Amino acid sequence: MRTPFFILSIFLITNLGAKTIQVAPGASIQQAIDRATAGDTVLVRAGTYYQYGIKINKSLTLLGQDKPLLDASGQGEIITISADKVVVKGFHFQRTGRTSITDWAAVKVLSAKYVQVLNNHISQSYFGIYFSNADHCTARNNTIEGKPSEEQNTGNGIHAWKCNHLSFSDNTVKGHRDGIYLEFVTESHMQRNFCQNNIRYGLHFMFSHNNTYSYNRFRENGAGVAVMYTRNVVMQHNHFEQNWGSAAYGLLLKDISDSKIEYNTFDNNTTGIYMEGSSRIHLAYNTLENNGWALRIQANCSDNVFEKNNFLANTFDVATNGGTVLNRFSHNYWDQYAGYDLNRDGVGDVPYHPVSLYAMIVERIPAGLMFLHSFVVRLIEESEKIFPSLTPSELKDSSPLLKPIKR
């Protein structure tokens, strides 16, 4: 009977032993951290602190009261964390240093686990939040805003390298090179983030397998999302919009495999989805609407399945650069389909060929786009329908739907 009481006593003493150390403007945050022991809270009161180079090497909570401002004045990194189970919450960080030698960040996590970066505002920083060799860490409800110049002198909003089991959710990232960048990151989740006006990509995967991103919004970036040299990625319920430019995409896929792209919306992008060297991807229940090209799929893609997607009001539904067809289209809705349904089963009686001759010409000669909507283009399109010769005859949907898929 004495054993449970003894264990409970130790638990209470341990928790009662944790203390809160308060820091007021004019005092050193680093000195308060140095005085703290594991489990303590360092409470930083409202005000402005011109401090940087703060090191956290023990498990504690660094808590801001009424969003205190930590300003590095362009001199270096603000906080570097090298201990497990650290929480950084409720601060405004600004003006880290910038250098081509070191990736200075507002908050950097090095070789640590279970670190949480929550409810912070980061502005005018080189990198916002940076994870390196970190596991089971969280970045949630942070707003990260940069002033983008050229790509070489702008860091990423949230950067992760060689990490596992990360969770990024409800963050807003604007004005960086990539909004969120993942390299050698696995088993991680990105949810409900908003990435806008980033120079390169809203979200960028490199060699990062077995990850999921869902319910995110990517607007007005160089490209919404780029997934490269990666496998087993689940992409669901995301919104890609207004990613316009000569080389802009809603979603760029390069050398990826065995993934799912489902229930997403691609709206008003130069190209909704661009695929190169990609295989065994299931694309279903997506809506591609008002894009220049809904889908550009290169001839080196194979074994991909497109089914039950809506193609609405796109200039080109599908474009490709070759005659080889190794992918399958089935039961999609195409608003340009002009077939019939005599048995009224909801499926068109004649196949739909989504690649137009003009799309093939533009794929080879981009300058040909200037003739869009011209009489000559309409004439050659109608001729190709009657005597098809150049478009890939096997790239077709043999069972096009008569009504859009409801979501």
Side-chain angles (χ1 to χ4, degrees), residues 10 22 36 45 63 105 109 130 177 187-188 198 262 265 293 312 354 373:
I10 291 176
Q22 297 197 24
R45 292 182 176 175
L63 181 62
V109 180
Y130 195 112
R177 181 170 58 201
E187 305 291 347
S188 296
N198 296 289
E262 300 169 337
T265 299
W293 287 265
L312 307 169
H373 303 307

PDB file of all heavy atoms in Angstrom, residues 10 22 36 45 63 105 109 130 177 187-188 198 262 265 293 312 354 373:
ATOM      1  N   ILE A  10       6.516  11.533  -5.249  1.00  0.00           N
ATOM      2  CA  ILE A  10       7.619  11.954  -6.119  1.00  0.00           C
ATOM      3  C   ILE A  10       7.098  12.791  -7.280  1.00  0.00           C
ATOM      4  O   ILE A  10       7.661  13.823  -7.629  1.00  0.00           O
ATOM      5  CB  ILE A  10       8.382  10.722  -6.644  1.00  0.00           C
ATOM      6  CG1 ILE A  10       9.134  10.066  -5.501  1.00  0.00           C
ATOM      7  CG2 ILE A  10       9.341  11.105  -7.757  1.00  0.00           C
ATOM      8  CD1 ILE A  10       9.845   8.794  -5.906  1.00  0.00           C
ATOM      9  N   GLN A  22      10.736  35.104 -14.644  1.00  0.00           N
ATOM     10  CA  GLN A  22      10.208  36.175 -15.478  1.00  0.00           C
ATOM     11  C   GLN A  22      11.339  37.088 -15.971  1.00  0.00           C
ATOM     12  O   GLN A  22      12.314  37.339 -15.261  1.00  0.00           O
ATOM     13  CB  GLN A  22       9.187  36.994 -14.689  1.00  0.00           C
ATOM     14  CG  GLN A  22       7.971  36.169 -14.268  1.00  0.00           C
ATOM     15  CD  GLN A  22       6.797  37.038 -13.868  1.00  0.00           C
ATOM     16  OE1 GLN A  22       6.683  38.190 -14.294  1.00  0.00           O
ATOM     17  NE2 GLN A  22       5.898  36.479 -13.061  1.00  0.00           N
ATOM     18  N   ALA A  36      17.529  28.651 -15.395  1.00  0.00           N
ATOM     19  CA  ALA A  36      16.432  27.681 -15.349  1.00  0.00           C
ATOM     20  C   ALA A  36      16.981  26.253 -15.315  1.00  0.00           C
ATOM     21  O   ALA A  36      18.114  25.985 -15.708  1.00  0.00           O
ATOM     22  CB  ALA A  36      15.537  27.870 -16.559  1.00  0.00           C
ATOM     23  N   ARG A  45       8.116  39.054 -20.608  1.00  0.00           N
ATOM     24  CA  ARG A  45       7.040  40.045 -20.600  1.00  0.00           C
ATOM     25  C   ARG A  45       7.026  40.872 -21.885  1.00  0.00           C
ATOM     26  O   ARG A  45       8.019  40.965 -22.605  1.00  0.00           O
ATOM     27  CB  ARG A  45       7.194  40.970 -19.390  1.00  0.00           C
ATOM     28  CG  ARG A  45       6.962  40.278 -18.057  1.00  0.00           C
ATOM     29  CD  ARG A  45       7.080  41.261 -16.918  1.00  0.00           C
ATOM     30  NE  ARG A  45       6.770  40.654 -15.627  1.00  0.00           N
ATOM     31  CZ  ARG A  45       6.884  41.280 -14.467  1.00  0.00           C
ATOM     32  NH1 ARG A  45       7.310  42.547 -14.428  1.00  0.00           N
ATOM     33  NH2 ARG A  45       6.572  40.663 -13.341  1.00  0.00           N
ATOM     34  N   LEU A  63       8.070  31.281 -22.960  1.00  0.00           N
ATOM     35  CA  LEU A  63       6.708  31.758 -23.211  1.00  0.00           C
ATOM     36  C   LEU A  63       6.678  33.280 -23.298  1.00  0.00           C
ATOM     37  O   LEU A  63       7.189  33.978 -22.401  1.00  0.00           O
ATOM     38  CB  LEU A  63       5.802  31.291 -22.066  1.00  0.00           C
ATOM     39  CG  LEU A  63       4.322  31.665 -22.139  1.00  0.00           C
ATOM     40  CD1 LEU A  63       3.672  31.048 -23.368  1.00  0.00           C
ATOM     41  CD2 LEU A  63       3.610  31.209 -20.860  1.00  0.00           C
ATOM     42  N   ALA A 105      18.211  31.588 -38.804  1.00  0.00           N
ATOM     43  CA  ALA A 105      16.754  31.504 -38.710  1.00  0.00           C
ATOM     44  C   ALA A 105      16.257  32.228 -37.468  1.00  0.00           C
ATOM     45  O   ALA A 105      17.015  32.506 -36.534  1.00  0.00           O
ATOM     46  CB  ALA A 105      16.314  30.041 -38.661  1.00  0.00           C
ATOM     47  N   VAL A 109      16.063  24.452 -34.804  1.00  0.00           N
ATOM     48  CA  VAL A 109      16.075  23.250 -33.961  1.00  0.00           C
ATOM     49  C   VAL A 109      17.121  22.300 -34.528  1.00  0.00           C
ATOM     50  O   VAL A 109      17.034  21.888 -35.691  1.00  0.00           O
ATOM     51  CB  VAL A 109      14.692  22.568 -33.956  1.00  0.00           C
ATOM     52  CG1 VAL A 109      14.717  21.323 -33.075  1.00  0.00           C
ATOM     53  CG2 VAL A 109      13.612  23.539 -33.478  1.00  0.00           C
ATOM     54  N   TYR A 130      13.467  26.510 -38.651  1.00  0.00           N
ATOM     55  CA  TYR A 130      14.425  25.624 -39.319  1.00  0.00           C
ATOM     56  C   TYR A 130      14.613  24.371 -38.466  1.00  0.00           C
ATOM     57  O   TYR A 130      15.002  24.459 -37.296  1.00  0.00           O
ATOM     58  CB  TYR A 130      15.750  26.381 -39.452  1.00  0.00           C
ATOM     59  CG  TYR A 130      16.766  25.823 -40.395  1.00  0.00           C
ATOM     60  CD1 TYR A 130      17.094  26.500 -41.568  1.00  0.00           C
ATOM     61  CD2 TYR A 130      17.458  24.654 -40.099  1.00  0.00           C
ATOM     62  CE1 TYR A 130      18.067  26.014 -42.429  1.00  0.00           C
ATOM     63  CE2 TYR A 130      18.429  24.160 -40.953  1.00  0.00           C
ATOM     64  CZ  TYR A 130      18.736  24.849 -42.125  1.00  0.00           C
ATOM     65  OH  TYR A 130      19.708  24.374 -42.974  1.00  0.00           O
ATOM     66  N   ARG A 177      11.609  32.085 -50.235  1.00  0.00           N
ATOM     67  CA  ARG A 177      11.994  31.323 -51.440  1.00  0.00           C
ATOM     68  C   ARG A 177      10.990  30.192 -51.630  1.00  0.00           C
ATOM     69  O   ARG A 177      10.231  30.182 -52.586  1.00  0.00           O
ATOM     70  CB  ARG A 177      13.418  30.785 -51.288  1.00  0.00           C
ATOM     71  CG  ARG A 177      13.890  30.009 -52.496  1.00  0.00           C
ATOM     72  CD  ARG A 177      15.379  29.718 -52.385  1.00  0.00           C
ATOM     73  NE  ARG A 177      15.703  28.977 -51.168  1.00  0.00           N
ATOM     74  CZ  ARG A 177      16.909  28.938 -50.610  1.00  0.00           C
ATOM     75  NH1 ARG A 177      17.907  29.617 -51.145  1.00  0.00           N
ATOM     76  NH2 ARG A 177      17.130  28.237 -49.517  1.00  0.00           N
ATOM     77  N   GLU A 187       7.491  10.439 -43.049  1.00  0.00           N
ATOM     78  CA  GLU A 187       6.419  10.197 -42.077  1.00  0.00           C
ATOM     79  C   GLU A 187       5.921  11.488 -41.434  1.00  0.00           C
ATOM     80  O   GLU A 187       5.731  11.568 -40.215  1.00  0.00           O
ATOM     81  CB  GLU A 187       6.912   9.227 -40.980  1.00  0.00           C
ATOM     82  CG  GLU A 187       7.469   7.915 -41.488  1.00  0.00           C
ATOM     83  CD  GLU A 187       6.404   7.010 -42.097  1.00  0.00           C
ATOM     84  OE1 GLU A 187       5.210   7.295 -41.908  1.00  0.00           O
ATOM     85  OE2 GLU A 187       6.781   6.044 -42.786  1.00  0.00           O
ATOM     86  N   SER A 188       5.679  12.503 -42.229  1.00  0.00           N
ATOM     87  CA  SER A 188       5.292  13.813 -41.697  1.00  0.00           C
ATOM     88  C   SER A 188       3.964  14.272 -42.300  1.00  0.00           C
ATOM     89  O   SER A 188       3.531  13.775 -43.345  1.00  0.00           O
ATOM     90  CB  SER A 188       6.391  14.840 -41.988  1.00  0.00           C
ATOM     91  OG  SER A 188       7.575  14.473 -41.305  1.00  0.00           O
ATOM     92  N   ASN A 198       5.298  33.198 -52.542  1.00  0.00           N
ATOM     93  CA  ASN A 198       6.666  32.723 -52.380  1.00  0.00           C
ATOM     94  C   ASN A 198       7.332  32.627 -53.759  1.00  0.00           C
ATOM     95  O   ASN A 198       6.682  32.297 -54.758  1.00  0.00           O
ATOM     96  CB  ASN A 198       6.655  31.373 -51.672  1.00  0.00           C
ATOM     97  CG  ASN A 198       6.109  31.501 -50.258  1.00  0.00           C
ATOM     98  OD1 ASN A 198       6.756  32.061 -49.385  1.00  0.00           O
ATOM     99  ND2 ASN A 198       4.886  31.005 -50.038  1.00  0.00           N
ATOM    100  N   GLU A 262      -5.971  13.304 -54.622  1.00  0.00           N
ATOM    101  CA  GLU A 262      -7.417  13.116 -54.570  1.00  0.00           C
ATOM    102  C   GLU A 262      -8.109  14.310 -53.907  1.00  0.00           C
ATOM    103  O   GLU A 262      -7.576  14.918 -52.974  1.00  0.00           O
ATOM    104  CB  GLU A 262      -7.745  11.845 -53.788  1.00  0.00           C
ATOM    105  CG  GLU A 262      -7.153  10.583 -54.406  1.00  0.00           C
ATOM    106  CD  GLU A 262      -7.237   9.366 -53.506  1.00  0.00           C
ATOM    107  OE1 GLU A 262      -7.336   9.563 -52.265  1.00  0.00           O
ATOM    108  OE2 GLU A 262      -7.191   8.242 -54.009  1.00  0.00           O
ATOM    109  N   THR A 265      -8.518  20.870 -55.639  1.00  0.00           N
ATOM    110  CA  THR A 265      -9.046  21.831 -56.599  1.00  0.00           C
ATOM    111  C   THR A 265      -7.898  22.620 -57.203  1.00  0.00           C
ATOM    112  O   THR A 265      -7.059  23.175 -56.473  1.00  0.00           O
ATOM    113  CB  THR A 265     -10.030  22.800 -55.914  1.00  0.00           C
ATOM    114  OG1 THR A 265     -11.121  22.040 -55.379  1.00  0.00           O
ATOM    115  CG2 THR A 265     -10.567  23.802 -56.913  1.00  0.00           C
ATOM    116  N   TRP A 293      -3.570  25.107 -69.029  1.00  0.00           N
ATOM    117  CA  TRP A 293      -3.537  23.664 -69.271  1.00  0.00           C
ATOM    118  C   TRP A 293      -4.037  22.995 -67.990  1.00  0.00           C
ATOM    119  O   TRP A 293      -3.474  23.228 -66.906  1.00  0.00           O
ATOM    120  CB  TRP A 293      -2.121  23.163 -69.541  1.00  0.00           C
ATOM    121  CG  TRP A 293      -1.548  23.513 -70.871  1.00  0.00           C
ATOM    122  CD1 TRP A 293      -1.541  22.754 -72.011  1.00  0.00           C
ATOM    123  CD2 TRP A 293      -0.840  24.719 -71.221  1.00  0.00           C
ATOM    124  NE1 TRP A 293      -0.892  23.403 -73.037  1.00  0.00           N
ATOM    125  CE2 TRP A 293      -0.451  24.601 -72.579  1.00  0.00           C
ATOM    126  CE3 TRP A 293      -0.496  25.876 -70.524  1.00  0.00           C
ATOM    127  CZ2 TRP A 293       0.255  25.609 -73.243  1.00  0.00           C
ATOM    128  CZ3 TRP A 293       0.194  26.876 -71.165  1.00  0.00           C
ATOM    129  CH2 TRP A 293       0.552  26.744 -72.520  1.00  0.00           C
ATOM    130  N   LEU A 312     -13.099  21.490 -66.253  1.00  0.00           N
ATOM    131  CA  LEU A 312     -14.080  22.539 -66.506  1.00  0.00           C
ATOM    132  C   LEU A 312     -13.397  23.809 -67.009  1.00  0.00           C
ATOM    133  O   LEU A 312     -12.499  24.345 -66.345  1.00  0.00           O
ATOM    134  CB  LEU A 312     -14.848  22.866 -65.216  1.00  0.00           C
ATOM    135  CG  LEU A 312     -15.513  21.687 -64.479  1.00  0.00           C
ATOM    136  CD1 LEU A 312     -15.986  22.132 -63.095  1.00  0.00           C
ATOM    137  CD2 LEU A 312     -16.670  21.157 -65.297  1.00  0.00           C
ATOM    138  N   PRO A 354      -9.000  14.008 -75.226  1.00  0.00           N
ATOM    139  CA  PRO A 354      -8.783  15.322 -74.602  1.00  0.00           C
ATOM    140  C   PRO A 354      -7.604  16.107 -75.161  1.00  0.00           C
ATOM    141  O   PRO A 354      -7.461  17.292 -74.841  1.00  0.00           O
ATOM    142  CB  PRO A 354      -8.551  14.973 -73.133  1.00  0.00           C
ATOM    143  CG  PRO A 354      -7.976  13.601 -73.171  1.00  0.00           C
ATOM    144  CD  PRO A 354      -8.610  12.911 -74.338  1.00  0.00           C
ATOM    145  N   HIS A 373      -7.601  31.023 -80.511  1.00  0.00           N
ATOM    146  CA  HIS A 373      -8.918  31.561 -80.893  1.00  0.00           C
ATOM    147  C   HIS A 373      -8.968  32.065 -82.342  1.00  0.00           C
ATOM    148  O   HIS A 373      -9.943  32.706 -82.735  1.00  0.00           O
ATOM    149  CB  HIS A 373      -9.363  32.695 -79.953  1.00  0.00           C
ATOM    150  CG  HIS A 373      -9.422  32.280 -78.516  1.00  0.00           C
ATOM    151  ND1 HIS A 373     -10.127  31.167 -78.095  1.00  0.00           N
ATOM    152  CD2 HIS A 373      -8.864  32.828 -77.406  1.00  0.00           C
ATOM    153  CE1 HIS A 373      -9.995  31.049 -76.777  1.00  0.00           C
ATOM    154  NE2 HIS A 373      -9.229  32.026 -76.328  1.00  0.00           N
TER     155      HIS A 373
END
